[in-house]
Amino acid sequence: MVHYFGGFAALVIPALLWTAWTGFAGGGERHVSVGLFASVFAVLAHTLVILFMLVTGRVLKEAMATRPFPQGFLVELNEFFARKKAYPAALIGASATAAAAVLGYAHRGFGIPTWVHSAAGCAAIGVNLWAIVHELRALQENRSLVDRAALELDRIDRETRAQRKIGGEVGGELAIEEERPEPYDPVRVGRWGIIVALSAWFPYLYWALIVWRGEFGRVSVHPWIEASALGFAIWWIARREARTAA
């Protein structure tokens, strides 16, 4: 995740700087298009950090509940997630970017001076730089903990298998563990398909209603209609499989 976020961060800052340059160079539709891309991309990067930290925290907690981890590691793990270093930085970075983007339209509808949007945009660039540094540090610490937890899990599993093997041999039988894959759930797949089908139209509606103020003819339905069709196809296939299984 550190490498993926680093790649996102390497694009977020230039995109924000490009947005600022187009704004100071005269603004216009080019500034709006670049600013929309940069703001969505920045919010996406910060959101990925929050989701990744939540998922890894949940996975590690489940692992701790089912495996006898050393007490020292548990204390360190709890302290790391108690600090929640990445959450405030990611939330502030995403909020500053969204606020700057919203203020770009505020002077049209509410009469707010243009310099407010310019100041918010410059502040968003600084906040994103600060947030990205903190997020990278937190992700590196998180990766270190995950790697150590994986090594500890492998050690515990090896010891457990060795003990069961010895116990099976002593009793005249060799215990063999079979890993059972997670069962396929067509209902869950269908739920994700319908979510993709509906959410695919959100960018289209944003461009049509917010950017072009209701001029739907100026916005292409591609690739949103293809993504929505794919989601509905997944939902339909999963629905048939669920009915067949029932």
Side-chain angles (χ1 to χ4, degrees):
M1 183 61 186
V2 176
H3 300 293
Y4 292 114
F5 180 73
F8 274 105
L11 296 176
V12 166
I13 298 303
L16 292 176
L17 291 175
W18 187 20
T19 302
W21 182 82
T22 56
F24 288 118
E29 297 301 333
R30 185 181 182 185
H31 175 65
V32 173
S33 300
V34 175
L36 176 63
F37 167 78
S39 59
V40 171
F41 201 71
V43 172
L44 174 63
H46 295 304
T47 304
L48 284 176
V49 173
I50 296 176
L51 292 176
F52 179 76
M53 298 295 287
L54 289 174
V55 170
T56 54
R58 180 64 179 176
V59 170
L60 288 174
K61 287 180 180 178
E62 291 293 333
M64 288 189 298
T66 57
R67 297 292 193 280
F69 274 82
Q71 187 62 33
F73 183 80
L74 296 180
V75 172
E76 182 180 356
L77 193 65
N78 290 329
E79 289 179 354
F80 173 79
F81 284 102
R83 292 196 302 267
K84 298 182 180 179
K85 297 171 62 177
Y87 299 134
L91 183 60
I92 293 173
S95 300
T97 306
V102 171
L103 287 173
Y105 291 95
H107 71 277
R108 300 179 182 179
F110 302 98
I112 297 178
T114 306
W115 67 265
V116 177
H117 168 59
S118 302
C122 294
I125 295 175
V127 169
N128 274 272
L129 284 170
W130 167 83
I132 286 172
V133 171
H134 282 72
E135 288 167 321
L136 282 173
R137 291 176 180 173
L139 286 174
Q140 289 173 349
E141 294 182 22
N142 180 270
R143 182 179 64 179
S144 177
L145 286 173
V146 170
D147 291 342
R148 289 171 56 193
L151 292 174
E152 189 65 25
L153 282 172
D154 290 340
R155 184 190 65 81
I156 294 172
D157 289 341
R158 284 196 303 269
E159 292 180 354
T160 303
R161 286 195 296 267
Q163 292 174 0
R164 291 180 178 178
K165 182 178 179 180
I166 293 173
E169 290 177 346
V170 171
E173 297 179 355
L174 180 61
I176 300 177
E177 294 184 5
E178 295 182 358
E179 294 184 0
R180 296 182 179 179
E182 184 178 353
Y184 171 68
D185 185 5
V187 176
R188 183 175 57 185
V189 175
R191 189 182 302 117
W192 279 107
I194 200 70
I195 291 174
V196 171
L198 297 178
S199 60
W201 291 102
F202 290 166
Y204 170 78
L205 293 175
Y206 178 87
W207 278 93
L209 297 176
I210 304 300
V211 177
W212 297 112
R213 298 180 179 274
E215 298 181 18
F216 286 87
R218 304 187 66 173
V219 184
S220 174
V221 296
H222 306 285
W224 323 119
I225 190 170
E226 289 82 2
S228 180
L230 177 62
F232 276 118
I234 294 174
W235 168 78
W236 183 74
I237 294 172
R239 185 183 179 187
R240 286 188 59 188
E241 292 181 349
R243 288 183 175 179
T244 303

